Amino acid sequence: MTTQLSASILGIEHLGDERVLVGLMARKISLFGHSFKISIYRDITAGKNTIELFRMSKFALDNATEMVLWINRSGLIVYSNQVTEHVLGYPKAELLNLNIKDVDATYSVTLDSNTTFTSTKRNESLLKESSFKKKSGDFFPVELSSVVNNNNAYTCIFARDISKRKALDKTLSDLECFHRAVFETTSNPTVIVDGNTNILRVNRAFELLTGFNKQAVEGIKSWTEFVSKNDIDRLLGFHYLRKEHPELCPDKHLFDIVDANGNLKNIYMTINKITGIEEFFCVASWLDITELRKTESELRLSYTQLEERVALRTTELNKTKLELEEHINKRIVSTRALIHDLKTNLTPMITASELFENCAKTEPLISLSRNITSGVKGLEKRINDLLDLARSEIGIFVIKPTWTNPTQFVKEIFNYLEPEVKRHSINFVLECPDSVPVAWVDEEQLSRVVINLISNAIKYTKRSGTITLRLFHNDQELIFEVQDTGCGISATYIKDIFKLYHRYNTSGESGEGLGLGLYLSKVIVELHGGQIEVRSALNIGSTFIIKIPLTEGMC
């Protein structure tokens, strides 16, 4: 027997309405001088389906979103998908030369081969957590599951990167620890209760406030057991209203509790429903205001006592005020009567002195007449000062301002006092611009102030010294200055220079006069809405400055 031809082809045969994938083998043989053709058909449909299924499975593994590895019994990696290569940072060729122990840091613990194979044979799912090592040497947490083929030759490992989940778990754990720590360490007693008024949790501050430890309270007591009888019905009503209609229920309450020793304590509570869960739970923060209430009560009592004292003191002051006003009125009446008598007697003396001065033609009668006239006029000035003082004390001292030309006003004063200044051998200087805005002033009273300042300068300036009368202005004020080169005023006394009855001389002791001139000068300047001040230095001199506001619209 000889074979002349052997061939193998694939073909499709029809069996009824079904199409069957078959393998065809055809041969030619010679036997006993005859040629025969033999065709052998074999059904390969199942094998072809298996190949197609394998291709589909490989495609699914290659494109899976999780890491997939196949290892053999020795732990060598024989397959890896694209995700595995990307996450671990290995190219495929390099990864397929590694052992699973090079990748899985805890392989002997998490995926021991005996454990894996045994579990898989029993069709059980093995789910473990481990750490994978990247090519860079960095580790990251993974969740592993595995499947072993039927002959236990290969194990398929599915790995999921759980770094983000671990980070989230840690964050949640840290957050829980933080809130637990806040709950436990807050200084305010804090309580968590359920819809049935049961206390589920309390903190340390609650234990200190009530005298009950948490083991005797949590899950055992109702918050109603702590509330005083007078408040329990009201708070229970709010509790059930909060349960059904939380938007209608106030979140702040005042009530009393009874502690373990039977003591009553005042509580200010803030309570809110815990949102985000189906069950009804509330968290309440208590504030012990017992001492605050006690202090408030004491303050209220003190306030009442203070009001009574103030009322009593006010009555005494009013009585004293009336007595003082009566005394002042009597003094004013007597002062005015005295001034009237003095002026009555002074009038003929002034007339006589002026007549005597006019009649005196030779010395020493001329000097004597001048001294008498000067003394009489000085006495008249002091009487006028006393009268003005009395008027200022009762508030009837007023000024009568008119529109005044300051330049002319100052020149008249200068011309009036120039002979007196020169008689003392003192230089007298006038610094005054030709044009100054007109001013709304009482010319008589203001001239009185300036003359008083120059008169004082004459007293304290030595011969050959200088007194300067100066006038100038800015946008807001009219300014008068009287400057001398006299003995000056010490800083100790300058602060009191404008006080009533204050007198000063070069030795620092009480000077002559009544101490009314500068006080009345200050009163007059302030009635004009202005101010008076002084700059001085010992042995250099003094400058008195008068500032009078320029009324808006002046030109």
mmCIF file of all heavy atoms in Angstrom, residues 320-358:
data_model
loop_
_atom_site.group_PDB
_atom_site.id
_atom_site.type_symbol
_atom_site.label_atom_id
_atom_site.label_comp_id
_atom_site.label_asym_id
_atom_site.label_seq_id
_atom_site.Cartn_x
_atom_site.Cartn_y
_atom_site.Cartn_z
ATOM 1 N N THR A 320 -27.060 122.283 99.026
ATOM 2 C CA THR A 320 -25.808 123.048 99.076
ATOM 3 C C THR A 320 -25.767 124.101 97.979
ATOM 4 O O THR A 320 -25.296 125.224 98.197
ATOM 5 C CB THR A 320 -24.605 122.097 98.935
ATOM 6 O OG1 THR A 320 -24.669 121.100 99.949
ATOM 7 C CG2 THR A 320 -23.302 122.852 99.062
ATOM 8 N N LYS A 321 -26.267 123.709 96.779
ATOM 9 C CA LYS A 321 -26.291 124.649 95.660
ATOM 10 C C LYS A 321 -27.163 125.866 95.984
ATOM 11 O O LYS A 321 -26.765 127.010 95.720
ATOM 12 C CB LYS A 321 -26.832 123.942 94.408
ATOM 13 C CG LYS A 321 -26.921 124.835 93.193
ATOM 14 C CD LYS A 321 -27.542 124.092 92.022
ATOM 15 C CE LYS A 321 -27.709 125.035 90.832
ATOM 16 N NZ LYS A 321 -28.383 124.369 89.689
ATOM 17 N N LEU A 322 -28.313 125.607 96.558
ATOM 18 C CA LEU A 322 -29.202 126.703 96.920
ATOM 19 C C LEU A 322 -28.550 127.612 97.964
ATOM 20 O O LEU A 322 -28.630 128.855 97.878
ATOM 21 C CB LEU A 322 -30.532 126.152 97.452
ATOM 22 C CG LEU A 322 -31.422 125.431 96.426
ATOM 23 C CD1 LEU A 322 -32.634 124.812 97.125
ATOM 24 C CD2 LEU A 322 -31.888 126.402 95.336
ATOM 25 N N GLU A 323 -27.882 126.967 98.946
ATOM 26 C CA GLU A 323 -27.203 127.748 99.975
ATOM 27 C C GLU A 323 -26.073 128.569 99.369
ATOM 28 O O GLU A 323 -25.862 129.736 99.730
ATOM 29 C CB GLU A 323 -26.656 126.820 101.068
ATOM 30 C CG GLU A 323 -27.746 126.135 101.879
ATOM 31 C CD GLU A 323 -27.184 125.107 102.847
ATOM 32 O OE1 GLU A 323 -25.964 124.823 102.753
ATOM 33 O OE2 GLU A 323 -27.950 124.595 103.688
ATOM 34 N N LEU A 324 -25.335 127.911 98.409
ATOM 35 C CA LEU A 324 -24.226 128.614 97.768
ATOM 36 C C LEU A 324 -24.727 129.765 96.909
ATOM 37 O O LEU A 324 -24.143 130.868 96.924
ATOM 38 C CB LEU A 324 -23.424 127.616 96.916
ATOM 39 C CG LEU A 324 -22.163 128.161 96.230
ATOM 40 C CD1 LEU A 324 -21.182 128.685 97.282
ATOM 41 C CD2 LEU A 324 -21.506 127.077 95.385
ATOM 42 N N GLU A 325 -25.797 129.522 96.167
ATOM 43 C CA GLU A 325 -26.359 130.584 95.339
ATOM 44 C C GLU A 325 -26.835 131.758 96.201
ATOM 45 O O GLU A 325 -26.650 132.931 95.846
ATOM 46 C CB GLU A 325 -27.519 130.041 94.506
ATOM 47 C CG GLU A 325 -27.084 129.135 93.360
ATOM 48 C CD GLU A 325 -28.262 128.553 92.610
ATOM 49 O OE1 GLU A 325 -29.408 128.682 93.123
ATOM 50 O OE2 GLU A 325 -28.053 127.973 91.527
ATOM 51 N N GLU A 326 -27.447 131.408 97.337
ATOM 52 C CA GLU A 326 -27.904 132.448 98.243
ATOM 53 C C GLU A 326 -26.721 133.243 98.781
ATOM 54 O O GLU A 326 -26.756 134.484 98.867
ATOM 55 C CB GLU A 326 -28.693 131.818 99.400
ATOM 56 C CG GLU A 326 -29.269 132.840 100.357
ATOM 57 C CD GLU A 326 -30.048 132.177 101.492
ATOM 58 O OE1 GLU A 326 -30.173 130.920 101.469
ATOM 59 O OE2 GLU A 326 -30.513 132.892 102.381
ATOM 60 N N HIS A 327 -25.631 132.493 99.099
ATOM 61 C CA HIS A 327 -24.432 133.160 99.611
ATOM 62 C C HIS A 327 -23.815 134.065 98.543
ATOM 63 O O HIS A 327 -23.416 135.203 98.829
ATOM 64 C CB HIS A 327 -23.420 132.094 100.061
ATOM 65 C CG HIS A 327 -22.093 132.655 100.465
ATOM 66 N ND1 HIS A 327 -21.909 133.322 101.659
ATOM 67 C CD2 HIS A 327 -20.889 132.669 99.826
ATOM 68 C CE1 HIS A 327 -20.647 133.713 101.736
ATOM 69 N NE2 HIS A 327 -20.012 133.326 100.646
ATOM 70 N N ILE A 328 -23.756 133.547 97.285
ATOM 71 C CA ILE A 328 -23.189 134.335 96.186
ATOM 72 C C ILE A 328 -24.032 135.579 95.933
ATOM 73 O O ILE A 328 -23.505 136.684 95.737
ATOM 74 C CB ILE A 328 -23.086 133.478 94.910
ATOM 75 C CG1 ILE A 328 -21.993 132.400 95.094
ATOM 76 C CG2 ILE A 328 -22.758 134.343 93.697
ATOM 77 C CD1 ILE A 328 -21.918 131.422 93.942
ATOM 78 N N ASN A 329 -25.331 135.384 95.945
ATOM 79 C CA ASN A 329 -26.214 136.534 95.720
ATOM 80 C C ASN A 329 -26.023 137.609 96.794
ATOM 81 O O ASN A 329 -25.991 138.809 96.496
ATOM 82 C CB ASN A 329 -27.673 136.082 95.684
ATOM 83 C CG ASN A 329 -27.998 135.290 94.421
ATOM 84 O OD1 ASN A 329 -27.361 135.487 93.384
ATOM 85 N ND2 ASN A 329 -28.973 134.408 94.506
ATOM 86 N N LYS A 330 -25.894 137.136 98.046
ATOM 87 C CA LYS A 330 -25.664 138.092 99.127
ATOM 88 C C LYS A 330 -24.336 138.812 98.927
ATOM 89 O O LYS A 330 -24.220 140.018 99.146
ATOM 90 C CB LYS A 330 -25.679 137.374 100.478
ATOM 91 C CG LYS A 330 -27.060 136.913 100.923
ATOM 92 C CD LYS A 330 -26.988 136.214 102.274
ATOM 93 C CE LYS A 330 -28.372 135.773 102.722
ATOM 94 N NZ LYS A 330 -28.329 135.071 104.036
ATOM 95 N N ARG A 331 -23.304 138.031 98.501
ATOM 96 C CA ARG A 331 -21.995 138.639 98.302
ATOM 97 C C ARG A 331 -22.023 139.635 97.151
ATOM 98 O O ARG A 331 -21.414 140.708 97.205
ATOM 99 C CB ARG A 331 -20.933 137.560 98.041
ATOM 100 C CG ARG A 331 -19.517 138.098 98.163
ATOM 101 C CD ARG A 331 -18.500 137.045 97.814
ATOM 102 N NE ARG A 331 -18.440 136.865 96.376
ATOM 103 C CZ ARG A 331 -17.497 136.118 95.766
ATOM 104 N NH1 ARG A 331 -16.616 135.461 96.497
ATOM 105 N NH2 ARG A 331 -17.484 135.987 94.463
ATOM 106 N N ILE A 332 -22.753 139.253 96.081
ATOM 107 C CA ILE A 332 -22.858 140.155 94.933
ATOM 108 C C ILE A 332 -23.560 141.456 95.319
ATOM 109 O O ILE A 332 -23.126 142.553 94.956
ATOM 110 C CB ILE A 332 -23.604 139.465 93.778
ATOM 111 C CG1 ILE A 332 -22.723 138.338 93.188
ATOM 112 C CG2 ILE A 332 -23.959 140.462 92.682
ATOM 113 C CD1 ILE A 332 -23.435 137.476 92.183
ATOM 114 N N VAL A 333 -24.639 141.286 96.092
ATOM 115 C CA VAL A 333 -25.386 142.478 96.530
ATOM 116 C C VAL A 333 -24.482 143.380 97.370
ATOM 117 O O VAL A 333 -24.425 144.604 97.175
ATOM 118 C CB VAL A 333 -26.637 142.069 97.320
ATOM 119 C CG1 VAL A 333 -27.268 143.283 97.974
ATOM 120 C CG2 VAL A 333 -27.630 141.377 96.400
ATOM 121 N N SER A 334 -23.765 142.729 98.316
ATOM 122 C CA SER A 334 -22.889 143.536 99.180
ATOM 123 C C SER A 334 -21.737 144.135 98.398
ATOM 124 O O SER A 334 -21.323 145.278 98.656
ATOM 125 C CB SER A 334 -22.368 142.673 100.337
ATOM 126 O OG SER A 334 -21.603 141.587 99.827
ATOM 127 N N THR A 335 -21.192 143.350 97.397
ATOM 128 C CA THR A 335 -20.093 143.866 96.580
ATOM 129 C C THR A 335 -20.540 145.047 95.745
ATOM 130 O O THR A 335 -19.845 146.075 95.664
ATOM 131 C CB THR A 335 -19.555 142.760 95.650
ATOM 132 O OG1 THR A 335 -19.099 141.665 96.443
ATOM 133 C CG2 THR A 335 -18.415 143.285 94.801
ATOM 134 N N ARG A 336 -21.712 144.917 95.148
ATOM 135 C CA ARG A 336 -22.223 146.015 94.326
ATOM 136 C C ARG A 336 -22.509 147.250 95.188
ATOM 137 O O ARG A 336 -22.286 148.403 94.761
ATOM 138 C CB ARG A 336 -23.475 145.574 93.592
ATOM 139 C CG ARG A 336 -23.197 144.465 92.570
ATOM 140 C CD ARG A 336 -24.438 144.051 91.824
ATOM 141 N NE ARG A 336 -24.857 145.084 90.886
ATOM 142 C CZ ARG A 336 -25.873 144.933 90.030
ATOM 143 N NH1 ARG A 336 -26.563 143.794 90.029
ATOM 144 N NH2 ARG A 336 -26.197 145.895 89.214
ATOM 145 N N ALA A 337 -23.021 146.999 96.393
ATOM 146 C CA ALA A 337 -23.268 148.129 97.293
ATOM 147 C C ALA A 337 -21.960 148.811 97.673
ATOM 148 O O ALA A 337 -21.868 150.054 97.710
ATOM 149 C CB ALA A 337 -23.998 147.642 98.550
ATOM 150 N N LEU A 338 -20.929 147.951 97.952
ATOM 151 C CA LEU A 338 -19.615 148.500 98.296
ATOM 152 C C LEU A 338 -19.034 149.289 97.139
ATOM 153 O O LEU A 338 -18.504 150.404 97.320
ATOM 154 C CB LEU A 338 -18.677 147.362 98.705
ATOM 155 C CG LEU A 338 -17.225 147.753 99.004
ATOM 156 C CD1 LEU A 338 -17.170 148.729 100.199
ATOM 157 C CD2 LEU A 338 -16.381 146.515 99.294
ATOM 158 N N ILE A 339 -19.145 148.717 95.919
ATOM 159 C CA ILE A 339 -18.609 149.391 94.733
ATOM 160 C C ILE A 339 -19.343 150.713 94.505
ATOM 161 O O ILE A 339 -18.730 151.742 94.167
ATOM 162 C CB ILE A 339 -18.726 148.474 93.508
ATOM 163 C CG1 ILE A 339 -17.759 147.293 93.657
ATOM 164 C CG2 ILE A 339 -18.430 149.235 92.213
ATOM 165 C CD1 ILE A 339 -17.957 146.216 92.608
ATOM 166 N N HIS A 340 -20.645 150.690 94.710
ATOM 167 C CA HIS A 340 -21.432 151.912 94.531
ATOM 168 C C HIS A 340 -20.968 152.989 95.510
ATOM 169 O O HIS A 340 -20.784 154.172 95.136
ATOM 170 C CB HIS A 340 -22.921 151.604 94.740
ATOM 171 C CG HIS A 340 -23.803 152.804 94.588
ATOM 172 N ND1 HIS A 340 -24.149 153.602 95.682
ATOM 173 C CD2 HIS A 340 -24.396 153.380 93.496
ATOM 174 C CE1 HIS A 340 -24.907 154.599 95.270
ATOM 175 N NE2 HIS A 340 -25.087 154.490 93.940
ATOM 176 N N ASP A 341 -20.744 152.600 96.766
ATOM 177 C CA ASP A 341 -20.286 153.561 97.767
ATOM 178 C C ASP A 341 -18.909 154.090 97.417
ATOM 179 O O ASP A 341 -18.627 155.301 97.569
ATOM 180 C CB ASP A 341 -20.263 152.919 99.154
ATOM 181 C CG ASP A 341 -21.674 152.630 99.678
ATOM 182 O OD1 ASP A 341 -22.634 153.216 99.135
ATOM 183 O OD2 ASP A 341 -21.808 151.810 100.613
ATOM 184 N N LEU A 342 -18.008 153.140 96.944
ATOM 185 C CA LEU A 342 -16.655 153.555 96.598
ATOM 186 C C LEU A 342 -16.666 154.529 95.424
ATOM 187 O O LEU A 342 -15.952 155.538 95.409
ATOM 188 C CB LEU A 342 -15.794 152.339 96.261
ATOM 189 C CG LEU A 342 -15.406 151.438 97.441
ATOM 190 C CD1 LEU A 342 -14.703 150.185 96.941
ATOM 191 C CD2 LEU A 342 -14.506 152.196 98.417
ATOM 192 N N LYS A 343 -17.472 154.180 94.396
ATOM 193 C CA LYS A 343 -17.549 155.056 93.229
ATOM 194 C C LYS A 343 -18.142 156.427 93.608
ATOM 195 O O LYS A 343 -17.735 157.467 93.076
ATOM 196 C CB LYS A 343 -18.388 154.394 92.133
ATOM 197 C CG LYS A 343 -17.601 153.443 91.253
ATOM 198 C CD LYS A 343 -18.456 152.939 90.126
ATOM 199 C CE LYS A 343 -17.607 152.224 89.094
ATOM 200 N NZ LYS A 343 -16.760 153.168 88.337
ATOM 201 N N THR A 344 -19.116 156.405 94.516
ATOM 202 C CA THR A 344 -19.724 157.676 94.954
ATOM 203 C C THR A 344 -18.678 158.586 95.588
ATOM 204 O O THR A 344 -18.623 159.799 95.323
ATOM 205 C CB THR A 344 -20.866 157.402 95.950
ATOM 206 O OG1 THR A 344 -21.852 156.590 95.316
ATOM 207 C CG2 THR A 344 -21.500 158.703 96.424
ATOM 208 N N ASN A 345 -17.827 157.977 96.434
ATOM 209 C CA ASN A 345 -16.785 158.762 97.099
ATOM 210 C C ASN A 345 -15.619 159.053 96.152
ATOM 211 O O ASN A 345 -14.869 160.026 96.359
ATOM 212 C CB ASN A 345 -16.264 158.029 98.325
ATOM 213 C CG ASN A 345 -17.327 157.875 99.395
ATOM 214 O OD1 ASN A 345 -18.132 158.787 99.609
ATOM 215 N ND2 ASN A 345 -17.352 156.727 100.071
ATOM 216 N N LEU A 346 -15.435 158.191 95.133
ATOM 217 C CA LEU A 346 -14.296 158.348 94.236
ATOM 218 C C LEU A 346 -14.528 159.460 93.216
ATOM 219 O O LEU A 346 -13.570 160.120 92.781
ATOM 220 C CB LEU A 346 -14.032 157.012 93.506
ATOM 221 C CG LEU A 346 -12.760 156.937 92.667
ATOM 222 C CD1 LEU A 346 -11.524 157.098 93.556
ATOM 223 C CD2 LEU A 346 -12.702 155.586 91.937
ATOM 224 N N THR A 347 -15.763 159.673 92.841
ATOM 225 C CA THR A 347 -16.060 160.662 91.794
ATOM 226 C C THR A 347 -15.530 162.054 92.137
ATOM 227 O O THR A 347 -14.836 162.684 91.317
ATOM 228 C CB THR A 347 -17.568 160.706 91.529
ATOM 229 O OG1 THR A 347 -18.004 159.418 91.115
ATOM 230 C CG2 THR A 347 -17.893 161.725 90.441
ATOM 231 N N PRO A 348 -15.805 162.617 93.330
ATOM 232 C CA PRO A 348 -15.242 163.949 93.647
ATOM 233 C C PRO A 348 -13.726 163.937 93.748
ATOM 234 O O PRO A 348 -13.063 164.929 93.447
ATOM 235 C CB PRO A 348 -15.896 164.303 94.992
ATOM 236 C CG PRO A 348 -16.333 163.010 95.574
ATOM 237 C CD PRO A 348 -16.700 162.135 94.405
ATOM 238 N N MET A 349 -13.148 162.779 94.131
ATOM 239 C CA MET A 349 -11.695 162.699 94.225
ATOM 240 C C MET A 349 -11.067 162.794 92.838
ATOM 241 O O MET A 349 -10.040 163.451 92.658
ATOM 242 C CB MET A 349 -11.281 161.371 94.884
ATOM 243 C CG MET A 349 -11.676 161.276 96.361
ATOM 244 S SD MET A 349 -11.293 159.651 97.052
ATOM 245 C CE MET A 349 -9.525 159.639 96.889
ATOM 246 N N ILE A 350 -11.690 162.123 91.832
ATOM 247 C CA ILE A 350 -11.179 162.186 90.459
ATOM 248 C C ILE A 350 -11.257 163.622 89.936
ATOM 249 O O ILE A 350 -10.311 164.164 89.342
ATOM 250 C CB ILE A 350 -11.969 161.227 89.543
ATOM 251 C CG1 ILE A 350 -11.726 159.769 89.952
ATOM 252 C CG2 ILE A 350 -11.602 161.439 88.079
ATOM 253 C CD1 ILE A 350 -12.586 158.781 89.215
ATOM 254 N N THR A 351 -12.405 164.253 90.203
ATOM 255 C CA THR A 351 -12.605 165.631 89.733
ATOM 256 C C THR A 351 -11.577 166.564 90.378
ATOM 257 O O THR A 351 -10.951 167.414 89.713
ATOM 258 C CB THR A 351 -14.019 166.103 90.064
ATOM 259 O OG1 THR A 351 -14.968 165.212 89.472
ATOM 260 C CG2 THR A 351 -14.269 167.522 89.549
ATOM 261 N N ALA A 352 -11.372 166.392 91.669
ATOM 262 C CA ALA A 352 -10.436 167.257 92.396
ATOM 263 C C ALA A 352 -9.010 167.050 91.929
ATOM 264 O O ALA A 352 -8.230 168.000 91.780
ATOM 265 C CB ALA A 352 -10.547 166.989 93.898
ATOM 266 N N SER A 353 -8.624 165.766 91.685
ATOM 267 C CA SER A 353 -7.260 165.483 91.247
ATOM 268 C C SER A 353 -6.981 166.064 89.871
ATOM 269 O O SER A 353 -5.887 166.593 89.611
ATOM 270 C CB SER A 353 -7.006 163.983 91.249
ATOM 271 O OG SER A 353 -7.795 163.342 90.251
ATOM 272 N N GLU A 354 -7.954 165.959 88.970
ATOM 273 C CA GLU A 354 -7.775 166.520 87.635
ATOM 274 C C GLU A 354 -7.671 168.047 87.701
ATOM 275 O O GLU A 354 -6.861 168.663 86.982
ATOM 276 C CB GLU A 354 -8.938 166.105 86.739
ATOM 277 C CG GLU A 354 -8.925 164.630 86.379
ATOM 278 C CD GLU A 354 -10.140 164.213 85.577
ATOM 279 O OE1 GLU A 354 -11.102 165.007 85.502
ATOM 280 O OE2 GLU A 354 -10.146 163.068 85.042
ATOM 281 N N LEU A 355 -8.507 168.665 88.547
ATOM 282 C CA LEU A 355 -8.470 170.121 88.705
ATOM 283 C C LEU A 355 -7.134 170.564 89.308
ATOM 284 O O LEU A 355 -6.525 171.552 88.878
ATOM 285 C CB LEU A 355 -9.629 170.583 89.590
ATOM 286 C CG LEU A 355 -9.739 172.107 89.840
ATOM 287 C CD1 LEU A 355 -9.943 172.851 88.512
ATOM 288 C CD2 LEU A 355 -10.897 172.394 90.789
ATOM 289 N N PHE A 356 -6.655 169.812 90.329
ATOM 290 C CA PHE A 356 -5.387 170.122 90.977
ATOM 291 C C PHE A 356 -4.245 170.027 89.978
ATOM 292 O O PHE A 356 -3.322 170.858 89.962
ATOM 293 C CB PHE A 356 -5.187 169.178 92.151
ATOM 294 C CG PHE A 356 -3.917 169.433 92.917
ATOM 295 C CD1 PHE A 356 -3.518 170.737 93.275
ATOM 296 C CD2 PHE A 356 -3.096 168.376 93.291
ATOM 297 C CE1 PHE A 356 -2.345 170.947 93.980
ATOM 298 C CE2 PHE A 356 -1.930 168.600 93.988
ATOM 299 C CZ PHE A 356 -1.547 169.876 94.345
ATOM 300 N N GLU A 357 -4.307 168.953 89.082
ATOM 301 C CA GLU A 357 -3.240 168.754 88.098
ATOM 302 C C GLU A 357 -3.225 169.903 87.086
ATOM 303 O O GLU A 357 -2.162 170.356 86.644
ATOM 304 C CB GLU A 357 -3.431 167.408 87.375
ATOM 305 C CG GLU A 357 -2.285 167.055 86.442
ATOM 306 C CD GLU A 357 -2.459 165.681 85.821
ATOM 307 O OE1 GLU A 357 -3.483 165.005 86.124
ATOM 308 O OE2 GLU A 357 -1.591 165.258 85.035
ATOM 309 N N ASN A 358 -4.390 170.390 86.732
ATOM 310 C CA ASN A 358 -4.472 171.481 85.754
ATOM 311 C C ASN A 358 -3.990 172.809 86.365
ATOM 312 O O ASN A 358 -3.462 173.688 85.651
ATOM 313 C CB ASN A 358 -5.902 171.647 85.241
ATOM 314 C CG ASN A 358 -6.332 170.470 84.377
ATOM 315 O OD1 ASN A 358 -5.496 169.826 83.739
ATOM 316 N ND2 ASN A 358 -7.636 170.183 84.363
#
